[in-house]
Amino acid sequence: MTTVTAARVPVVTAWQLVRWLGLAAAAAVAIGLPDVLTPYWTLIATNAVLAFAIAAPLNLLTGNTGQFSLGNAAFLAIGAYTGAFITLKLDFQLPLALLAAAAVGALVGLLVGLPSLRLRGAYLLMSTLAAHYLVVFAAQRFQTSQFGAAGAIFPPLQVGGVDLSSDRAMYLVILAFAGVIGLVIHNIMHSGHGRALEAVKARDVAAAACGIRVRRVKLVVWSLSSAMIAAAGVLQAYLIGAATFEYYTLDLAIASIAIIIVGGLGSLGGSLLGAGFVTLVPVGINRLSEQYGGQVGGQEQGLLAHPLELQTIVYGVIIIAFVIFKPEGLIGLARSAGRMVQRAVGGARHA
Amino acid sequence: MSDFLNAVISGIGFGSLYGLVALGLVVVFKSTGILNFSAGALMAVGGLVAASVGHGFWISAALAMVVVAAIGGTANLAVMRPLLGRGLFPGVMVTIGLASILQGVAGIKFGHQATFLDSPIEQASFQLPLHTTVSTTLLVAFVVSVTATVVLSVGFRRTAVGLQLRAAASRPEVAAAFGANPTWIFTYAWAAAGALAALAGALLASLTVADLSIGAFALRAFSAMIVGGVDSLGGAMLGGVLVGVIELLAGTYLGNDFRIPSTMVLLMVFLLFRPQGLFGSAEVVRP
Amino acid sequence: MPDTPLLEVDGIDVAYAGGAHALAGVSLAVAAGERVGIIGANGAGKTTIARTVTCVTRAFRATVRRGAIRYDGVDCTAWPAHRGLRKGIVSIPEGRGIIPNMTVEDNLRLVLVGLPRNQRSNVSEAFAMYPVLGDRRRSMAGLLSGGEQQMLAVARALLARPRLIVADELSLGLAPRIVKELLDGLSVRAASEGTAILLIEQAATLSLQFVDRAYILDQGRVVASGSSNELREAGDMTARYLGVADLAGTGELL
């Protein structure tokens, strides 16, 4: 008697094909952007991509694992100063700076994450608030002793003799970095670990009952996300040209939280959409200001004459609007649209 | 020695200001479970409004209190209500959004010129034995804070609104079932928080200068709230004083840069070892 | 002469925010001064009925999707909770619903401040009814024993001089003797004031001893109703719904 074993035929739905093609196309577009954009817009794109690289790990921590953290700016500072020390003082190159920043970030992230084993909710939030100020204080002392009051001035980026300081090169470096970050986070989210994170977020008592090592999960996520943010901090410092402790404010941390709220908590695509959106808002307002907010006969014209304040107001309105009306974020809207397209494409199976 | 005493006295004075803001934080947290991150912005707006009135301290401060109380109450009616029951993260983020809006609007309305407010008492400071001086404004701050604490405590214990707020803080559905109208009682809580922040802002403005930066002082109030105990009004006041004294001592003996970090260390120590604070109830730290 | 019932629930569907349907097509009525029971097993929808009738559905993210509730002939489906209180509907919530970190006295005052001035009685009345509460008036309510807490919840309801008391699982977690005492006391005072009682319970035998009429609730629907005697006699039918072994008046809580 012969047994018939069915060969495992890979089944690719039309929808999956569309997704892969879409991703490939997006990657091609992303890489080619600097060639079509003006330097001004290239810089904006660079900022947006960097903002994504900073927000995505935070989203893993807050969105997926439920750890509400104000520590983002602190980890950026850690990365920046570690990187400065490695490259400026020890004269090593960027790759080592990134690794060192990640290592220090992981360590400090572990420390900052320790209170999360005991504290929840408002108390955990307050502990990250305290951590922010303490880390920035340490950074300030470090800066004063190693670099002086003007901060750590970063030279133009170059690796192995190759000058990477042009707008295009910086963009591509940061894009590559963001790509790596995205890949790592994507893998985590779509593995068994991802489910563990969600369980910890939902109810860690129940998660423990399911055999999830809650403490380990929390500490690992804190370390990992902080390491990634710190590494991003090095690139951010290169982009800005310097690391000064005054830059690392609580508002900076809040900006990343705004991004993940607007984009969608717990979603990688959300971090991307949010980063793009939040980066473009001030640009948009500035443009409107230039066009319509000018002085007319010496009289200032309304709100648009105050672009900076208007940005602040719009920023606040956006946060409130998304929290109240669109808690699932932009990615939620995108998903609804995607579902409509999927139905149209048919989802038929190709054998 | 006089350095030490000066630091302690100023610490008590500044601490009273932190206590005032912390009282507002406690009122909002006790009733709604939300940390009000717009406290700083409310303070700053209070100071700016008072400075713009310019009719001497007390009238200006009173008007500022009314205005910011209205802002607080309106904020609750407009944006906090839909958030009821949605938890800490949305609530805090909305208060942050509120702070942003307030800062932007204040920047447009009041500009960025620093303005000044008269001090509450003509004489700026007076001498105490042992070569110490005390700023009269800080003295007023202390008296005002203690008064506010007493008034609020009595209010919480005796008045109908206070009773309903306390019930709502613990068992909101029961409070609602027994007649508490959550819309109104939370509005009162927010209005009270606004008034307290405005008063602190006015005092701070008269002490230093009226501009948006004074909102940074609200940070210490969070420390004060935890140190004192998040559901204790008296704790908020004492917590504030403790935070103020530690901050000023750190400033005197370690340097100005150490002021904020010292308050944050205090915060962290309490969070790790006594999260209910000095006078908070243990029930509060339920996960 | 047909009286308008005090409370009339007319074919309501109630669902919670997640979509979970709790009640389907439920109808019942309570006349003034009457004692009516709702009996059902766990998950039958008892607490949902309690919340709906006392107008606190919104606090629990539930909505009445169909049907109406009428109080004294007036549609009260959309009333806010405090309006229900003022009109004389008071609850003794499931789990007692006392505020643990307020004093006994403050717990009692809570109901009084929710009422308009001319309807307010005095906490001393509660202490007269239940001297034990008077002794512990300044204790934190959370420190009281289960029976004392239930006593507090009952006293609080009575202070409102209600026309309808809705008691949700009064007997939960209490020794039968204590429950009997509480119900007897409630019975006496309700009778003297003409207060109607809607007793919502799992304990079938106990309820039927106390009420004149009852409805049996199963999975969100009313599956039987009748006078207490009728239901006791139809023992095996109701037993099927409740999984109770014996309804025929052995006096045991099942």
Side-chain angles (χ1 to χ4, degrees), chain A residues 12-334:
Chain A
V12 182
T13 66
W15 175 239
Q16 279 179 322
L17 220 69
V18 168
R19 281 186 73 185
W20 279 113
L21 286 174
L23 272 169
V29 167
I31 293 174
L33 268 182
D35 298 321
V36 297
L37 294 177
T38 64
Y40 171 73
W41 282 103
T42 303
L43 190 60
I44 291 176
T46 312
N47 276 314
V49 174
L50 184 63
F52 161 74
I54 295 173
L58 179 67
N59 213 349
L60 192 69
L61 182 67
T62 302
N64 293 92
T65 323
Q67 310 288 297
F68 190 4
S69 162
L70 287 171
N72 241 37
F75 295 117
L76 287 172
I78 286 177
Y81 286 106
T82 309
F85 188 72
I86 297 284
T87 54
L88 299 176
K89 291 280 166 175
L90 297 183
D91 224 8
F92 286 115
Q93 303 258 11
L94 179 69
L96 194 65
L98 288 174
L99 283 171
V104 177
L107 191 61
V108 178
L110 191 71
L111 288 173
V112 173
L114 280 174
S116 78
L117 300 180
R118 257 217 252 171
L119 301 171
R120 273 170 199 69
Y123 301 91
L124 180 62
L125 182 65
M126 300 267 86
S127 77
T128 67
L129 180 74
H132 163 85
Y133 281 101
L134 290 171
V135 167
V136 172
F137 175 68
Q140 178 187 355
R141 308 290 290 178
F142 185 74
Q143 176 190 305
T144 329
S145 74
Q146 298 287 329
F147 302 103
I153 313 291
F154 280 70
L157 178 62
Q158 55 126 330
V159 179
V162 178
D163 176 33
L164 292 172
S165 63
S166 71
D167 293 325
R168 184 170 176 275
M170 287 296 291
Y171 170 81
L172 289 173
V173 168
I174 289 177
L175 183 67
F177 178 75
V180 170
I181 297 281
L183 222 66
V184 169
I185 293 181
H186 183 261
N187 281 337
I188 294 176
M189 281 172 59
H190 288 87
S191 66
H193 302 295
R195 287 188 283 281
L197 299 184
E198 293 288 333
V200 168
K201 171 185 176 186
R203 192 83 184 106
D204 52 5
V205 172
C210 295
I212 294 174
R213 312 253 300 264
V214 171
R215 298 184 143 206
R216 189 147 77 133
V217 169
K218 283 187 184 174
L219 290 178
V220 166
V221 176
W222 272 100
S223 289
L224 205 58
S225 60
S226 310
M228 291 191 267
I229 297 171
V234 179
L235 291 174
Q236 183 182 53
Y238 267 107
L239 190 64
I240 296 174
T244 51
F245 72 87
E246 296 95 345
Y247 177 70
Y248 301 100
T249 58
L250 204 61
D251 285 339
L252 188 64
I254 290 172
S256 293
I257 303 183
I259 287 178
I260 67 179
I261 287 179
V262 166
L265 289 170
S267 155
L268 193 59
S271 305
L272 188 59
L273 288 173
F277 188 89
V278 170
T279 306
L280 286 174
V281 164
V283 175
I285 293 180
N286 278 331
R287 278 308 175 90
L288 282 173
S289 240
E290 284 162 27
Q291 296 239 333
Y292 301 108
Q295 307 221 342
V296 176
Q299 288 271 347
E300 296 202 338
Q301 282 278 70
L303 283 176
L304 284 172
H306 303 268
L308 226 60
E309 285 82 3
L310 191 56
Q311 276 174 35
T312 317
I313 295 177
V314 169
Y315 183 69
V317 170
I318 286 175
I319 293 179
I320 293 180
F322 272 86
V323 169
I324 295 182
F325 298 115
K326 278 268 163 272
E328 70 280 8
L330 289 173
I331 195 69
L333 294 173

Side-chain angles (χ1 to χ4, degrees), chain B residues 84 86 157-160 163-164 166-167 170-171 173-174 176-179 181 281 283, chain C residues 56 60-61 81-82 85 90-91 97-102 106 109-111 113-114 156:
Chain B
L84 273 183
R86 277 184 57 187
R157 237 168 269 275
R158 297 303 192 83
T159 65
L163 190 61
Q164 292 177 332
R166 279 191 291 145
S170 183
R171 299 280 189 275
E173 64 290 348
V174 172
F178 286 94
N181 189 338
S281 56
E283 193 211 43
Chain C
V56 291
F60 295 94
R61 302 177 161 245
H82 44 97
L85 182 73
V90 168
S91 80
I98 55 145
I99 319 283
N101 49 356
M102 288 192 344
D106 278 346
R109 282 177 55 221
L110 182 63
V111 70
V113 302
R156 180 180 59 187

Side-chain angles (χ1 to χ4, degrees), chain C:
Chain C
M1 182 178 73
D3 266 315
T4 323
L6 182 64
L7 176 74
E8 195 182 341
V9 176
D10 192 0
I12 57 169
D13 285 357
V14 177
Y16 284 92
H21 268 76
L23 298 175
V26 168
S27 295
L28 53 93
V30 178
E34 207 187 357
R35 290 197 298 213
V36 176
I38 297 181
I39 305 174
N42 253 331
K46 303 192 298 295
T47 299
T48 308
I49 286 205
R51 289 173 180 166
T52 311
V53 165
T54 53
C55 314
V56 291
T57 42
R58 213 176 317 144
F60 295 94
R61 302 177 161 245
T63 42
V64 177
R65 302 282 167 91
R66 217 167 48 93
I69 306 178
R70 280 183 284 276
Y71 183 74
D72 252 351
V74 177
D75 189 320
C76 68
T77 326
W79 279 7
H82 44 97
R83 187 138 173 231
L85 182 73
R86 284 170 180 241
K87 294 284 182 180
I89 308 174
V90 168
S91 80
I92 302 178
E94 179 200 27
R96 283 136 227 164
I98 55 145
I99 319 283
N101 49 356
M102 288 192 344
T103 62
V104 166
E105 184 162 358
D106 278 346
N107 268 278
L108 292 169
R109 282 177 55 221
L110 182 63
V111 70
L112 296 179
V113 302
L115 294 163
R117 281 194 189 277
N118 56 356
Q119 275 180 257
R120 287 183 199 173
S121 45
N122 197 302
V123 288
S124 51
E125 286 179 30
F127 300 140
M129 276 190 256
Y130 297 104
V132 170
L133 293 179
D135 294 336
R136 318 235 7 214
R137 65 196 290 173
R138 291 203 203 291
S139 310
M140 286 294 146
L143 296 176
L144 266 54
S145 73
E148 287 166 344
Q149 288 185 0
Q150 193 67 71
M151 197 186 293
L152 176 57
V154 170
R156 180 180 59 187
L158 288 170
L159 271 185
R161 303 235 181 83
R163 297 179 61 210
L164 170 66
I165 291 182
V166 179
D168 188 5
E169 297 232 54
L170 196 76
S171 66
L172 196 64
L174 297 180
R177 182 182 59 81
I178 296 187
V179 178
K180 191 153 192 321
E181 275 175 25
L182 282 173
L183 285 178
D184 285 342
L186 185 60
S187 186
V188 163
R189 279 158 202 126
S192 67
E193 303 275 338
T195 309
I197 300 182
L198 184 60
L199 189 72
I200 304 176
E201 272 294 338
Q202 249 192 87
T205 314
L206 186 77
S207 313
L208 292 178
Q209 283 172 348
F210 181 77
V211 302
D212 308 315
R213 272 192 314 118
Y215 298 86
I216 312 241
L217 199 65
D218 184 38
Q219 293 181 353
R221 291 173 192 278
V222 172
V223 295
S225 69
S227 72
S228 308
N229 287 326
E230 285 168 1
L231 289 174
R232 258 191 292 256
E233 258 135 53
D236 59 333
M237 178 185 78
T238 49
R240 226 180 332 128
Y241 289 107
L242 302 175
V244 268
D246 171 24
L247 266 183
T250 57
E252 274 171 27
L253 279 178
L254 295 162

Side-chain angles (χ1 to χ4, degrees), chain B:
Chain B
M1 185 51 175
S2 68
D3 273 351
F4 178 79
L5 284 175
N6 271 323
V8 169
I9 291 174
S10 294
I12 295 178
F14 275 98
S16 309
L17 289 173
Y18 306 154
L20 262 183
V21 180
L23 281 174
L25 292 176
V26 166
V27 168
V28 167
F29 188 69
K30 260 178 102 147
S31 46
T32 65
I34 290 178
L35 287 178
N36 176 17
F37 270 70
S38 65
L42 292 168
M43 268 182 82
V45 169
L48 286 166
V49 169
S52 71
V53 169
H55 276 313
F57 180 81
W58 295 103
I59 299 183
S60 310
L63 276 168
M65 283 173 76
V66 169
V67 168
V68 181
I71 294 177
T74 315
N76 179 57
L77 289 172
V79 294
M80 300 306 304
R81 248 193 325 158
L83 291 178
L84 273 183
R86 277 184 57 187
L88 179 76
F89 182 69
V92 167
M93 286 316 294
V94 167
T95 65
I96 288 178
L98 223 63
S100 232
I101 296 177
L102 283 172
Q103 278 162 3
V105 171
I108 295 180
K109 180 104 177 64
F110 296 104
H112 292 281
Q113 290 261 356
T115 47
F116 298 91
L117 182 63
D118 295 333
S119 32
I121 297 181
E122 279 279 324
Q123 186 185 347
S125 64
F126 62 87
Q127 292 276 58
L128 290 179
L130 295 173
H131 300 290
T132 55
T133 52
V134 60
S135 139
T136 54
T137 309
L138 286 181
L139 196 62
V140 169
F142 180 71
V143 171
V144 162
S145 299
V146 170
T147 313
T149 310
V150 169
V151 166
L152 277 175
S153 293
V154 169
F156 255 85
R157 237 168 269 275
R158 297 303 192 83
T159 65
V161 173
L163 190 61
Q164 292 177 332
L165 267 173
R166 279 191 291 145
S170 183
R171 299 280 189 275
E173 64 290 348
V174 172
F178 286 94
N181 189 338
T183 306
W184 283 114
I185 56 175
F186 293 155
T187 304
Y188 290 137
W190 273 89
L196 289 162
L199 185 55
L203 284 163
L204 207 47
S206 77
L207 198 59
T208 56
V209 73
D211 85 3
L212 283 171
S213 65
I214 61 180
F217 282 88
L219 177 68
R220 282 83 149 180
F222 286 99
S223 218
M225 180 179 77
I226 297 283
V227 166
V230 298
D231 62 346
S232 164
L233 291 172
M237 179 58 197
L238 283 163
V241 166
L242 186 59
V243 169
V245 168
I246 298 233
E247 179 189 348
L248 273 278
L249 283 174
T252 304
Y253 292 107
L254 296 172
N256 250 338
D257 289 343
F258 284 83
R259 283 175 56 166
I260 291 185
S262 66
T263 65
M264 292 293 110
V265 168
L266 187 65
L267 173 60
M268 198 59 118
V269 164
F270 268 83
L271 283 173
L272 293 174
F273 299 110
R274 204 185 155 87
Q276 71 268 42
L278 295 169
F279 301 102
S281 56
E283 193 211 43
V284 144
V285 199
R286 285 179 286 147

